[in-house]
Amino acid sequence: MDTGTHGVHLLQHPLIQHKLTLIRDNRTGVKEFRELTEEMSLLMAYEVTRDLPLHAVEVITPVAPARSWVIEGKKLAVVAILRAGLGMVPGITRLIPGAKVGHVGIYRDPETLEPMLYYCKLPADIHERDVVLVDPMLATGGSVARALDILKEKGARTIKTMCLIAAPEGIALVRRKHPDAEIYAAAVDERLNDHGYIVPGLGDAGDRLFGTK
C-alpha cells in the first residue's frame, strides 16, 4: 500500500490493479462488473483493516500449546452510500462476517446543488464501531462529505472512506470539510468532466452494477 498526499491511501496491490483494469473496460457486462466490484472490495478491505489491534491467546494445536493472535474485539460497521455503495458491501462482509451494515441515501438538490439526505439507517451502536464508508466513485466529493457529517453527528469516531476510483476535486472537497478524513482508493484519476464524471473513470458505477444504463 502506497500513501500519496496526507490522508489519501492508494492501494496498488497487483490483484487490485488488475481487477480495476477489467472493471474500467466498457466491454465488461453487468455480471462481471458486479463480481469484480465485490472482489475488489474484499481485497481493498484487507488493506483498510490492516491496523486492527490484536491480543495474544493460547491455543492447543495437535502438536503442542501455541501462543497466537486474535483481533482485539473491535466492532466494525460498513456504511454504503446508496445506491452504488451496495455493490461493495458483499465483498467486505465476506471478509468480516460480523460487521454490521448501514445505509445512507443522498441526492443533489437540482437548484442549490447541495447534497441532501433522503434516507439513513445505521446500526444503533454506530458510536461504538469503527466505520468503513463505501462508494465506488469519489467524484465531486459532495456525497461522501455529507455522509461523513452524518456519521460524526451520530457519534462515529473512526471512519475510513473506501472507493474504487477518486478524482482530485472530490479528494480536495472531502479533505477541506473533513481534514481528518482517511480515503482509500485503487486509483486517483485525472479530473472531472463537465458532467461530473471522473475521467477516465469507469462511467456510472450504479448503472453498470444494476444494468440501468
Side-chain angles (χ1 to χ4, degrees), residues 133-149:
L133 176 66
V134 296
D135 196 355
M137 312 299 283
L138 175 55
T140 64
S143 294
V144 167
R146 184 72 183 97
L148 289 171
D149 289 338

Side-chain angles (χ1 to χ4, degrees), residues 47-53 160 184:
E47 295 287 1
V48 169
T49 57
R50 181 179 288 276
D51 60 355
L52 287 176
K160 296 178 178 179
Y184 293 76

Side-chain angles (χ1 to χ4, degrees), residues 27-209:
R27 297 170 297 181
T28 298
V30 173
K31 177 179 180 293
E32 293 78 14
F33 190 95
R34 197 174 292 152
E35 291 171 347
L36 287 163
T37 299
E38 180 175 337
E39 291 164 5
M40 279 191 68
S41 300
L42 185 152
L43 292 168
M44 292 176 72
Y46 175 84
E47 295 287 1
V48 169
T49 57
R50 181 179 288 276
D51 60 355
L52 287 176
L54 299 172
H55 73 268
V57 297
E58 186 173 280
V59 295
I60 307 298
T61 79
V63 179
R67 186 172 186 264
S68 195
W69 301 91
V70 294
I71 293 173
E72 186 70 59
K74 277 276 189 179
K75 295 180 178 180
L76 297 176
V78 182
V79 176
I81 297 179
L82 302 177
R83 64 184 166 140
L86 293 173
M88 300 178 70
V89 173
I92 302 172
T93 52
R94 277 180 58 196
L95 185 68
I96 313 167
K100 289 188 177 180
V101 179
H103 302 90
V104 176
I106 296 169
Y107 73 96
R108 183 183 296 182
D109 186 284
E111 295 183 3
T112 66
L113 302 182
E114 290 296 314
M116 306 296 292
L117 179 69
Y118 70 87
Y119 183 81
C120 181
K121 185 70 172 179
L122 301 174
D125 60 352
I126 193 73
H127 59 286
E128 298 177 0
R129 294 180 175 268
D130 285 356
V131 178
V132 180
L133 176 66
V134 296
D135 196 355
M137 312 299 283
L138 175 55
T140 64
S143 294
V144 167
R146 184 72 183 97
L148 289 171
D149 289 338
I150 295 160
L151 287 168
K152 289 179 178 180
E153 289 166 6
K154 298 293 185 180
R157 291 165 292 181
T158 302
I159 309 167
K160 296 178 178 179
T161 298
M162 191 172 93
C163 57
L164 305 185
I165 301 174
E169 296 92 333
I171 291 172
L173 184 141
V174 171
R175 294 284 300 162
R176 185 171 70 250
K177 294 193 172 185
H178 296 277
D180 60 340
E182 295 290 331
I183 299 168
Y184 293 76
V188 177
D189 279 6
E190 298 170 13
R191 58 183 174 85
L192 297 179
N193 66 16
D194 293 340
H195 300 287
Y197 282 91
I198 299 176
V199 179
L202 51 76
D204 187 303
D207 283 345
R208 295 192 68 186
L209 275 166

